[in-house]
mmCIF file of all heavy atoms in Angstrom:
data_model
loop_
_atom_site.group_PDB
_atom_site.id
_atom_site.type_symbol
_atom_site.label_atom_id
_atom_site.label_comp_id
_atom_site.label_asym_id
_atom_site.label_seq_id
_atom_site.Cartn_x
_atom_site.Cartn_y
_atom_site.Cartn_z
ATOM 1 N N THR A 21 -8.580 -12.990 16.120
ATOM 2 C CA THR A 21 -8.222 -11.936 15.173
ATOM 3 C C THR A 21 -7.373 -10.901 15.894
ATOM 4 O O THR A 21 -7.731 -10.446 16.983
ATOM 5 C CB THR A 21 -9.500 -11.271 14.613
ATOM 6 O OG1 THR A 21 -10.235 -12.269 13.940
ATOM 7 C CG2 THR A 21 -9.174 -10.146 13.656
ATOM 8 N N ARG A 41 -6.548 -5.859 6.223
ATOM 9 C CA ARG A 41 -7.702 -6.681 5.838
ATOM 10 C C ARG A 41 -7.230 -7.998 5.212
ATOM 11 O O ARG A 41 -7.763 -9.056 5.509
ATOM 12 C CB ARG A 41 -8.566 -5.891 4.854
ATOM 13 C CG ARG A 41 -9.906 -6.512 4.630
ATOM 14 C CD ARG A 41 -10.789 -5.604 3.822
ATOM 15 N NE ARG A 41 -11.181 -4.403 4.550
ATOM 16 C CZ ARG A 41 -11.779 -3.364 3.979
ATOM 17 N NH1 ARG A 41 -12.031 -3.364 2.693
ATOM 18 N NH2 ARG A 41 -12.128 -2.329 4.701
ATOM 19 N N LEU A 50 -7.448 6.402 15.499
ATOM 20 C CA LEU A 50 -7.796 7.609 16.262
ATOM 21 C C LEU A 50 -7.381 8.810 15.420
ATOM 22 O O LEU A 50 -6.221 8.896 14.989
ATOM 23 C CB LEU A 50 -7.081 7.620 17.612
ATOM 24 C CG LEU A 50 -7.428 8.821 18.500
ATOM 25 C CD1 LEU A 50 -7.614 8.392 19.953
ATOM 26 C CD2 LEU A 50 -6.374 9.917 18.409
ATOM 27 N N ALA A 79 -6.494 1.930 23.185
ATOM 28 C CA ALA A 79 -5.744 0.799 23.762
ATOM 29 C C ALA A 79 -6.675 -0.376 24.045
ATOM 30 O O ALA A 79 -6.288 -1.537 23.886
ATOM 31 C CB ALA A 79 -5.036 1.236 25.040
ATOM 32 N N VAL A 84 -1.775 -3.997 19.800
ATOM 33 C CA VAL A 84 -0.545 -3.222 19.591
ATOM 34 C C VAL A 84 -0.963 -1.869 19.004
ATOM 35 O O VAL A 84 -1.961 -1.774 18.298
ATOM 36 C CB VAL A 84 0.439 -3.988 18.653
ATOM 37 C CG1 VAL A 84 -0.149 -4.253 17.279
ATOM 38 C CG2 VAL A 84 1.767 -3.241 18.492
ATOM 39 N N GLY A 153 28.498 28.750 4.326
ATOM 40 C CA GLY A 153 28.458 29.377 2.999
ATOM 41 C C GLY A 153 27.017 29.521 2.532
ATOM 42 O O GLY A 153 26.096 28.998 3.152
ATOM 43 N N ARG A 162 11.163 21.620 14.523
ATOM 44 C CA ARG A 162 9.994 20.756 14.756
ATOM 45 C C ARG A 162 8.888 21.058 13.762
ATOM 46 O O ARG A 162 8.799 22.162 13.241
ATOM 47 C CB ARG A 162 9.432 20.983 16.159
ATOM 48 C CG ARG A 162 10.414 20.653 17.229
ATOM 49 C CD ARG A 162 9.824 20.831 18.609
ATOM 50 N NE ARG A 162 10.528 19.931 19.507
ATOM 51 C CZ ARG A 162 10.183 18.681 19.748
ATOM 52 N NH1 ARG A 162 9.115 18.177 19.207
ATOM 53 N NH2 ARG A 162 10.899 17.928 20.555
ATOM 54 N N GLU A 180 17.731 38.553 6.976
ATOM 55 C CA GLU A 180 16.704 39.231 7.758
ATOM 56 C C GLU A 180 15.317 38.649 7.443
ATOM 57 O O GLU A 180 14.516 38.381 8.356
ATOM 58 C CB GLU A 180 16.751 40.747 7.471
ATOM 59 C CG GLU A 180 15.815 41.581 8.311
ATOM 60 C CD GLU A 180 16.021 41.389 9.821
ATOM 61 O OE1 GLU A 180 17.149 41.107 10.258
ATOM 62 O OE2 GLU A 180 15.000 41.494 10.568
ATOM 63 N N ALA A 185 10.651 35.445 8.892
ATOM 64 C CA ALA A 185 9.691 34.393 8.529
ATOM 65 C C ALA A 185 9.647 33.282 9.569
ATOM 66 O O ALA A 185 8.575 32.750 9.879
ATOM 67 C CB ALA A 185 10.054 33.815 7.160
ATOM 68 N N ALA A 189 10.534 30.322 16.026
ATOM 69 C CA ALA A 189 10.640 28.894 16.377
ATOM 70 C C ALA A 189 12.108 28.489 16.547
ATOM 71 O O ALA A 189 13.006 29.208 16.115
ATOM 72 C CB ALA A 189 9.997 28.068 15.265
ATOM 73 N N GLY A 207 13.430 0.284 5.350
ATOM 74 C CA GLY A 207 13.765 -0.981 5.996
ATOM 75 C C GLY A 207 12.696 -1.355 7.005
ATOM 76 O O GLY A 207 11.899 -0.512 7.430
ATOM 77 N N LEU A 254 18.023 1.221 12.683
ATOM 78 C CA LEU A 254 17.029 0.277 13.203
ATOM 79 C C LEU A 254 17.544 -0.423 14.453
ATOM 80 O O LEU A 254 16.822 -0.588 15.438
ATOM 81 C CB LEU A 254 16.672 -0.764 12.128
ATOM 82 C CG LEU A 254 15.873 -0.256 10.916
ATOM 83 C CD1 LEU A 254 15.792 -1.334 9.832
ATOM 84 C CD2 LEU A 254 14.468 0.160 11.328
ATOM 85 N N LEU A 257 17.984 2.051 17.563
ATOM 86 C CA LEU A 257 16.710 2.487 18.158
ATOM 87 C C LEU A 257 15.890 1.304 18.680
ATOM 88 O O LEU A 257 14.790 1.497 19.176
ATOM 89 C CB LEU A 257 15.889 3.266 17.119
ATOM 90 C CG LEU A 257 16.479 4.625 16.689
ATOM 91 C CD1 LEU A 257 15.764 5.140 15.444
ATOM 92 C CD2 LEU A 257 16.372 5.638 17.826
ATOM 93 N N PHE A 279 14.813 11.069 8.543
ATOM 94 C CA PHE A 279 14.152 9.761 8.543
ATOM 95 C C PHE A 279 12.735 9.908 9.075
ATOM 96 O O PHE A 279 12.412 10.845 9.809
ATOM 97 C CB PHE A 279 14.962 8.700 9.304
ATOM 98 C CG PHE A 279 14.849 8.751 10.812
ATOM 99 C CD1 PHE A 279 13.843 8.058 11.481
ATOM 100 C CD2 PHE A 279 15.758 9.471 11.570
ATOM 101 C CE1 PHE A 279 13.748 8.084 12.868
ATOM 102 C CE2 PHE A 279 15.667 9.512 12.960
ATOM 103 C CZ PHE A 279 14.665 8.818 13.609
ATOM 104 N N PRO A 330 -7.075 14.343 -12.043
ATOM 105 C CA PRO A 330 -7.707 14.618 -13.330
ATOM 106 C C PRO A 330 -8.525 13.412 -13.806
ATOM 107 O O PRO A 330 -8.165 12.269 -13.510
ATOM 108 C CB PRO A 330 -6.536 14.878 -14.271
ATOM 109 C CG PRO A 330 -5.302 14.722 -13.487
ATOM 110 C CD PRO A 330 -5.619 14.283 -12.114
#
Side-chain angles (χ1 to χ4, degrees):
T21 299
R41 192 172 291 169
L50 182 138
V84 61
R162 299 182 153 271
E180 185 56 30
L254 291 171
L257 293 167
F279 79 88

